[in-house]
């Protein structure tokens, strides 16, 4: 009898199937090389398990560990597989993509998304077999951040906050920093806060570096000479005001924070903490609020927070 890649054993499985099932990847490559799919006597990449309904893609995604050899074989089989093979749901109700998602096989997930976009869209958007739900179930939920505890604040005799109060002439005594805050309106920031270099630089190494390079300018309206710092326009006046209040009092109470239940504002606070390396209590407040807000917020809010935590933001980056 002529040798063929289509030969099956009594259980209905080919040599290629058994080679993959038992991790003999070199033999699987040999079968693909010797009996190319689509040729007479070639291996059948659309082979399926009669009882379980698995395809070769299912079989590969179930292999442990899934290393470079399995990945190379996956590439070759996927390149020849029909749309029916990609969309096949096995008898356990799973596509191969769900198995990859459920085992956190990000190589398969990424490879299919990049190279088989039509099939990937169908796999991701199938209502009865949502691959991303399998991914969510496989990922352990994040541990809750420590409960936020507001610092005690500065001692009563250390009345640095009074330096922000305007004197009789409407000037904040000894102010030498002006923060322009909020979105631009006709090329000008919508808000300006005065502060003191010595207070600010002690609590932010990033602002320290910025102020070292920033020359003083005459501010006619404020009647002072000050270094003007443009705060990232994605940070609102409300959030920056609370940051300055912390810098001048040494504390911030979650109950007194006007935006503790506003996911967008808490995201702004997190952004400010990341961009300007602000004191740890401010970061803890942002994390504590977002931990409770994100599960009931739109997906876009979570994506923005994750992108920020992944380092995809820099000072002044739009």
């Amino acid at each position: 009898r002529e040798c063929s890649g289509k030969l099956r054993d009594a259980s209905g499985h080919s040599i290629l199937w058994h080679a993959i099932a038992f991790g003999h990847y070199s033999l699987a490559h040999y079968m693909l090389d010797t009996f190319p799919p689509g040729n007479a006597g070639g291996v059948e990449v659309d082979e399926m398990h009669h009882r379980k309904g698995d395809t070769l893609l299912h079989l590969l995604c179930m292999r442990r560990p899934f290393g470079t050899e399995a990945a190379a074989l996956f590439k070759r089989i996927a390149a020849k597989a029909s749309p029916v093979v990609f969309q096949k749901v096995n008898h356990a109700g799973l596509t191969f993509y769900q198995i990859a998602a459920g085992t956190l096989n990000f190589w398969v997930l990424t490879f299919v998304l990049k190279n088989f976009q039509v099939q990937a869209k169908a796999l991701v958007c199938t209502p009865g077999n949502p691959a991303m739900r399998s991914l969510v179930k496989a990922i352990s939920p994040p541990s809750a951040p420590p409960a936020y505890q507001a610092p005690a604040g500065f001692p009563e005799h250390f009345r640095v906050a009074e330096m922000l109060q305007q004197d009789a002439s409407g000037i904040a005594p000894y102010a030498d920093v002006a923060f322009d805050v909020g979105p631009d309106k006709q090329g000008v920031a919508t808000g300006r806060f005065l502060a003191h270099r010595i207070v600010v630089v002690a609590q932010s190494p990033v602002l320290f570096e910025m102020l070292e390079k920033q020359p003083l300018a005459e501010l006619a309206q404020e009647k002072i000479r000050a270094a003007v710092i443009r705060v990232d326009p994605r940070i609102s006046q409300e959030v920056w005001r609370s940051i300055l209040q912390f810098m001048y009092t040494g504390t911030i109470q979650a109950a007194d924070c006007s935006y503790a239940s506003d996911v967008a504002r808490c995201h702004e606070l997190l952004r400010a903490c990341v961009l300007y390396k602000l004191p740890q209590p401010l970061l803890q407040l942002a994390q504590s609020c977002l931990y409770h807000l994100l599960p009931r917020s739109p997906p876009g809010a979570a994506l923005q927070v994750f992108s920020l935590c992944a380092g995809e933001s820099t000072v002044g980056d739009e």
Side-chain angles (χ1 to χ4, degrees):
R1 186 177 179 180
E2 184 180 352
C3 188
S4 168
K6 292 181 169 62
L7 291 176
R8 307 290 178 97
D9 62 10
S11 62
H13 297 318
S14 68
I15 297 175
L16 177 61
W17 181 280
H18 285 298
I20 294 174
F22 291 99
H24 300 307
Y25 298 130
S26 59
L27 177 57
H29 281 294
Y30 174 82
M31 293 299 296
L32 287 167
D33 292 336
T34 308
F35 305 100
N39 290 359
V43 295
E44 298 173 307
V45 296
D46 59 350
E47 181 178 352
M48 298 183 189
H49 196 289
H50 296 302
R51 181 168 52 86
K52 296 182 179 179
D54 292 325
T55 66
L56 291 173
L57 298 181
H58 284 85
L59 200 59
L60 278 166
C61 289
M62 289 187 281
R63 289 297 305 165
R64 303 289 181 277
F66 186 95
T68 54
E69 289 182 312
L73 200 55
F74 187 96
K75 286 182 179 180
R76 297 188 67 177
I77 293 175
K80 298 295 183 179
S82 67
V84 174
V85 173
F86 272 87
Q87 307 304 322
K88 174 65 178 175
V89 178
N90 67 11
H91 294 166
L94 299 172
T95 64
F96 81 89
Y97 211 61
Q98 285 177 278
I99 294 174
T103 55
L104 304 183
N105 190 332
F106 291 103
W107 185 90
V108 167
L109 298 178
T110 304
F111 176 77
V112 174
L113 284 171
K114 286 184 176 180
N115 298 282
F116 301 93
Q117 296 177 6
V118 174
Q119 295 93 323
K121 181 178 180 181
L123 287 165
V124 171
C125 299
T126 302
N129 303 91
M132 294 303 104
R133 187 172 297 171
S134 299
L135 180 64
V136 170
K137 290 179 180 179
I139 297 176
S140 301
S143 56
Y148 174 72
Q149 293 183 341
F154 298 149
E156 185 177 353
H157 67 270
F158 191 64
R159 301 175 181 175
V160 64
E162 293 183 4
M163 297 174 65
L164 290 177
Q165 297 179 2
Q166 296 180 347
D167 59 20
S169 61
I171 301 174
Y174 309 109
D176 55 0
V177 178
F179 289 109
D180 285 350
V181 188
D184 288 333
K185 187 176 182 180
Q186 296 180 348
V188 180
T190 53
R192 171 169 285 180
F193 295 104
L194 300 183
H196 303 81
R197 183 185 302 253
I198 190 63
V199 176
V200 171
V201 300
Q203 301 180 74
S204 168
V206 174
L207 292 176
F208 182 96
E209 292 182 8
M210 294 174 71
L211 285 167
E212 272 194 320
K213 303 172 184 177
Q214 194 72 10
L216 297 179
E218 291 287 349
L219 305 182
Q221 185 173 347
E222 290 80 8
K223 302 176 184 178
I224 60 171
R225 281 173 54 83
V228 180
I229 298 294
R230 180 61 170 103
V231 174
D232 189 292
R234 294 168 292 188
I235 299 171
S236 66
Q237 295 182 51
E238 182 181 11
V239 170
W240 196 255
R241 183 184 293 108
S242 69
I243 291 170
L244 289 178
Q245 287 174 345
F246 174 86
M247 288 183 172
Y248 280 82
T249 62
T251 189
I252 182 170
Q253 299 290 336
D256 298 334
C257 183
S258 60
Y259 53 84
S261 60
D262 186 330
V263 68
R265 292 290 183 260
C266 290
H267 176 228
E268 291 174 15
L269 177 60
L270 179 64
R271 182 183 298 280
C273 291
V274 171
L275 293 183
Y276 301 108
K277 297 182 180 179
L278 299 178
Q280 193 68 17
L282 289 172
L283 178 61
Q284 291 173 348
L285 175 60
Q287 291 174 329
S288 178
C289 292
L290 287 169
Y291 180 80
H292 298 289
L293 292 173
L294 285 180
R296 56 178 188 268
S297 299
L303 180 60
Q304 288 181 328
V305 171
F306 294 154
S307 298
L308 179 61
C309 293
E312 297 179 8
S313 182
T314 57
V315 175
D317 179 27
E318 293 292 345

